[in-house]
């Protein structure tokens, strides 16, 4: 299948479809014409202008006062790319790198960046041939765009840097040789067009939101199973409770919980307990807030991925080349921090439900085994969930609250959005693991409520889970079961 890159609105859901569905991409005729039109305008402007144009005929950052001669304009751009490739740390995962390429192509296609057509088409070749430039997680301060990671992403265009292709790491030079390509010769401003922009931050955000959507859905289902296993009271999910405090996510979650529990024998049983702990009773309020946060953050990222974010902005129809600040990551840095906090809460309340399930109350055996003492049972999976939840809490210090001046003070306020982005990915991973551990515990606890049945939806989930993770009768090695529970969440929803 082919997705046409155009001015049509690109949604996060569409990106998920493109990436997971193995789509190829190509430029629409309109996008092609916009790129050509902008480039022709820029070339004409460079030839005619006697006034320095930032980043086009001048140096960069605090070197903006130094004019560059025409015969050095191409070298200026390649030097920019080489000098900015200073990434360190762990690699950015291939799936996020692929989203980065897609978002960079989308941004350049609007015709406000001055990139040459062959440069954009080579990025498309990377995408379509599953060529993954080696990009590192650390180095971007998220202000002049994602300079460092985008430099690593784009070096292979010129035969530099490294890529992963067909499972092998190779140099950009070797990749070009194998593909039969000539290295791209950058034109004026192209280095800035490629390196300025928020595509690294945005790609991390898009990947996180795609997975957060899945985890939010899982959160309700798993909570419903834990609720049944803990012999919870269904009254807190009554619609009348939530219409007097009508937050959208809260109402949606209460409705969802009633839907998931419809037809359950367990909810109809007499309850000895007058109230449930907050981790059960307040599922609509907590999960609902996570959903509302997700909607807000998604709306911000949706705007960002449909924007031109490099500098200077080239507006051919207005005859303007303006050095401004569309590359600054602040608009998405704060929301990414907010999303990490929200997902942390989804994991935090999940860990509390796990704790209640193993606590030996409500006629459940201690640590969910029939013979506690000789068996430790599910004592330690809760430890693991607690450790992960604690790590997520430490990751929730907002990166966007910090700024460190760079480039001799020219870039004196930065967003640290790239740090917010990489932390958000870690919190997504952590939340998935905590939820998997809760499901592992909830499925075990359900066995001690037999012969009572839960709702058809929960019983089917339980049966499906049992195909990959067994009931634990006596102590055995647990980590493979936790790994299989994580895989179950990734492959089902």
């Amino acid at each position: 299948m082919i997705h046409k890159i155009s001015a049509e609105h690109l949604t996060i859901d569409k990106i998920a479809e493109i990436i997971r569905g193995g789509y190829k991409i190509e430029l629409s005729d309109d996008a092609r014409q916009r790129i050509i039109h902008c480039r022709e305008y820029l070339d004409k402007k460079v030839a005619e202008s006697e006034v320095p144009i930032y980043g086009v005929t001048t140096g960069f950052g605090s070197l903006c006062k130094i004019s560059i001669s025409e015969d050095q304009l191409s070298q200026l751009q390649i030097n920019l790319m080489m000098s900015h490739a200073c990434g360190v740390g762990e690699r950015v995962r291939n799936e996020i790198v692929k989203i980065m390429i897609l978002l960079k192509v989308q941004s350049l296609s609007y015709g406000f960046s001055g990139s040459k057509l062959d440069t954009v088409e080579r990025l498309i070749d990377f995408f379509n041939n599953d060529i993954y430039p080696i990009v590192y997680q650390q180095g971007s301060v998220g202000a002049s765009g994602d300079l460092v990671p985008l430099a690593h992403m784009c070096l292979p265009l010129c035969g530099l840097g490294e890529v992963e292709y067909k499972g092998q790491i190779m140099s950009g030079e070797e990749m070009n040789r194998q593909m039969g390509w000539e290295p791209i010769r950058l034109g004026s401003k192209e280095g800035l067009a490629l390196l300025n922009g928020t595509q690294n931050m945005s790609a991390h955000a898009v990947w996180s939101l795609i997975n957060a959507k899945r985890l939010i859905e899982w959160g309700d289902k798993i909570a419903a199973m834990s609720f049944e296993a803990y012999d919870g009271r269904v009254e807190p999910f009554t619609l009348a409770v939530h219409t007097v405090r009508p937050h959208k996510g809260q109402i949606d979650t209460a409705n969802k919980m009633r839907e998931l529990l419809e037809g359950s024998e367990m909810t109809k049983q007499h309850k000895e307990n007058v109230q449930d702990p907050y981790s059960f009773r307040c599922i609509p309020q907590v999960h609902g807030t996570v959903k509302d946060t997700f909607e807000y953050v998604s709306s911000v990222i949706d705007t960002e991925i449909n924007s031109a974010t490099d500098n200077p902005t080239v507006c051919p129809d207005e005859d303007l080349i303006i050095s401004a600040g569309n590359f600054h990551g602040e608009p998405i840095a704060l929301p990414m921090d907010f999303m990490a906090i929200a997902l942390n809460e989804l994991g935090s309340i999940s860990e509390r439900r796990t704790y209640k399930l193993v606590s030996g109350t409500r006629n459940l055996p201690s640590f969910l085994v029939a013979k506690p003492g000789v068996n430790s049972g599910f004592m330690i999976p809760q430890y693991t969930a607690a450790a992960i939840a604690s790590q997520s809490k430490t990751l929730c210090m907002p990166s966007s609250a910090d700024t460190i001046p760079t480039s001799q003070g020219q870039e004196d306020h930065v967003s640290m959005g790239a740090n917010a982005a990489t932390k958000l990915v870690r919190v997504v991973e952590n939340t998935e693991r905590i939820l998997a551990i809760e499901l592992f515990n909830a499925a075990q606890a359900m066995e001690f409520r037999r012969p009572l049945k839960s709702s058809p939806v929960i019983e089917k989930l339980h049966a499906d889970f049992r195909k990959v993770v067994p009931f634990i009768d006596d102590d055995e090695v647990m980590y493979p079961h936790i790994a299989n529970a994580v895989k179950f969440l990734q492959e089902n929803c």
Side-chain angles (χ1 to χ4, degrees), residues 227 234-239 242 254 257-258 261 280-281 283-284:
F227 173 87
V234 76
E235 291 89 345
F237 308 140
T238 304
L239 182 59
H242 305 285
M257 291 301 290
R258 293 197 309 275
L261 298 169
F280 293 93
R281 194 183 350 149
I283 289 169

Side-chain angles (χ1 to χ4, degrees), residues 39 42 55-56 73 77 80-81 108 113-120 154 184-196:
R39 185 67 219 179
L42 183 61
V56 180
L73 293 183
Q77 302 303 316
L80 173 74
M81 195 176 290
L108 296 177
S113 302
S115 184
K116 295 194 280 80
L117 182 61
D118 64 335
T119 304
V120 181
C154 295
I184 294 294
R185 179 176 172 79
L186 297 178
S188 59
K189 205 268 181 186
E190 279 206 289
L192 273 185
L194 294 169
L195 271 58
N196 275 185

Side-chain angles (χ1 to χ4, degrees), residues 39-60:
R39 185 67 219 179
E40 288 177 345
Y41 166 80
L42 183 61
D43 285 340
K44 182 181 178 184
K45 210 65 180 170
V46 169
E48 295 176 351
S49 179
E50 297 180 1
V51 179
I53 304 171
Y54 171 74
V56 180
T57 60
T58 74
F60 310 106

Side-chain angles (χ1 to χ4, degrees), residues 301-371:
I301 301 303
D302 182 88
T303 298
E304 188 73 5
I305 63 178
N306 287 279
S307 304
T309 56
D310 59 292
N311 182 61
T313 303
V314 182
C315 303
D317 295 342
E318 289 81 8
D319 189 22
L320 294 171
I321 302 175
I322 304 173
S323 180
N326 275 352
F327 47 53
H328 202 290
E330 196 79 358
I332 60 173
L334 273 73
M336 285 190 291
D337 281 331
F338 193 12
M339 194 68 240
I341 292 168
L343 287 173
N344 167 71
E345 287 301 289
L346 189 65
S348 181
I349 196 171
S350 170
E351 183 278 328
R352 288 292 79 197
R353 290 191 295 263
T354 296
Y355 178 83
K356 289 297 184 183
L357 290 173
V358 301
S359 62
T361 57
R362 298 204 177 181
N363 296 317
L364 290 173
S366 290
F367 305 116
L368 300 178
V369 283
K371 300 174 185 177

Side-chain angles (χ1 to χ4, degrees), residues 6-79:
S6 69
E8 262 186 56
H9 197 81
L10 180 64
T11 66
I12 294 169
D13 286 343
K14 186 63 181 181
I15 293 174
E17 182 184 336
I18 291 167
I19 297 298
R20 303 282 165 84
Y23 280 56
K24 306 293 185 185
I25 61 173
E26 63 181 39
L27 293 171
S28 66
D29 290 340
D30 182 55
R32 188 182 299 269
Q33 288 306 311
R34 285 197 306 273
I35 292 168
I36 293 171
H37 176 56
C38 185
R39 185 67 219 179
E40 288 177 345
Y41 166 80
L42 183 61
D43 285 340
K44 182 181 178 184
K45 210 65 180 170
V46 169
E48 295 176 351
S49 179
E50 297 180 1
V51 179
I53 304 171
Y54 171 74
V56 180
T57 60
T58 74
F60 310 106
S62 63
L63 302 177
C64 61
K65 295 180 181 179
I66 300 177
S67 294
I68 309 298
S69 62
E70 186 173 351
D71 63 334
Q72 292 183 307
L73 293 183
S74 180
Q75 190 62 45
L76 171 69
Q77 302 303 316
I78 191 66
N79 285 355

